[in-house]
Amino acid sequence: MQEVRAIRPDREVLTRQRLPYFVGISGETVGASGMSMHLVTIPPGAKSEPHYHVGYETGIYVLEGKVLTRWGARLENEVISEAGEFLFIPAGVPHEAINLSTTEAARAVVARNHPAEQDQVLPYVAE
C-alpha cells in the first residue's frame, strides 16, 4: 500500500550543478515514480555549472533573491527571476543560474517530472 509521507530535508547535498540542494521528494526518499522536488540555495555571487536535463522538464519557484538564468546553445539568452516568480526550463535546454546578489543567498523550490534528482543532469560546454 502506498502512503502519504512528510519529508523535512535534513542535509545539504552538493549537486552536479555545483549548488547546494536540500532533497525533498524523489524516488529515493519517498518512492516517487514521476517527479522530484527539492530546495536549492545559490550562495551570494555564486552560479551553477552550465548543464542540461535529459528527458525531463524543470519548474522553479523563487522564494528569495534575484537569479539570472542564461540559456541556449551559447547561453546567449537571459531571463531574470525574482521572489514570487516561476521559471520553466524545457528538457534538453542548456542553462546556468547566477545569483545576482553578492550579499544575500537566493533560494528556490525546484520540481521535475522525473523521480531522480540528479541522474539525468549532464554538464554543458557552450558552443
Side-chain angles (χ1 to χ4, degrees), residues 76-98:
E76 72 278 14
N77 304 294
E78 297 182 346
V79 61
I80 294 175
S81 304
E82 298 184 48
E85 295 181 340
F86 289 93
L87 181 68
F88 172 72
I89 302 174
V93 173
H95 60 283
E96 69 178 351
I98 303 163

Side-chain angles (χ1 to χ4, degrees), residues 42-107:
I42 306 176
K47 68 178 186 173
S48 70
E49 293 293 324
H51 63 282
Y52 63 101
H53 309 150
V54 177
Y56 62 85
E57 300 167 326
T58 301
I60 299 169
Y61 181 75
V62 180
L63 297 168
E64 299 173 347
K66 188 183 239 186
V67 179
L68 170 68
T69 301
R70 296 177 55 216
W71 59 277
R74 294 177 306 285
L75 302 175
E76 72 278 14
N77 304 294
E78 297 182 346
V79 61
I80 294 175
S81 304
E82 298 184 48
E85 295 181 340
F86 289 93
L87 181 68
F88 172 72
I89 302 174
V93 173
H95 60 283
E96 69 178 351
I98 303 163
N99 183 349
L100 292 176
S101 174
T102 58
T103 59
E104 301 290 327
R107 292 175 6 119

Side-chain angles (χ1 to χ4, degrees), residues 2 5 25-35 115:
Q2 294 182 335
R5 296 191 46 200
I25 297 168
S26 71
E28 185 177 314
T29 61
V30 298
S33 62
M35 68 171 291

